[in-house]
Amino acid sequence: MHGAKDFLPGVTCLSDMLQKAGYHQTYMGGADINFAGKGSFLKSHGFDDVIGKNELMTNELKGKSTGQGWGITDDLLLDVVFDKYKELSAADKPFALYTLTLDTHGTSPSPRCREKKVVRGDRSYKDSVRCSDYLLNNFFNQ
């Protein structure tokens, strides 16, 4: 799908219905939006903002270390996503905010989890899940 302009143009997705209903839709993810045609799919199905690693590193996270070569660690991503949530909440328009985290794709939890001693440091998937649980709990309880 890399390089394709449209992805499944004849299919109606939830995002297409939300667009028709007037929702502002934002996707924020820690990986490159071009991976697997994700950006093309989202842009062709009603998303207003499609923000991935490259966009975040140019703007919100400029000059910060992401901690991973192929994506942004969940601790940094969720901070930026929450800022976007506050921004969208302040507007007088319905919105949908989507994110895709990466830390459970491997065995290297976010630095914040190591600093807070949430993980055991055994470089296991269990540590990655412990970290995600901690970060998501903090995200939803802000």
Side-chain angles (χ1 to χ4, degrees), residues 20 37 43 50 54-55 58 70 76 80 82 85 102 107 114 118-119 124 131 141:
K20 286 181 184 175
K43 289 175 185 175
V50 179
N54 297 335
E55 295 76 20
T58 302
W70 62 278
L76 295 176
V80 175
F82 193 76
Y85 166 76
L102 302 176
T107 58
R114 292 190 296 273
V118 173
V119 296
S124 68
C131 182
N141 286 304

Side-chain angles (χ1 to χ4, degrees), residues 100-113:
L100 178 61
T101 62
L102 302 176
D103 283 2
T104 54
H105 286 74
T107 58
S108 296
S110 292
R112 191 171 307 151
C113 291

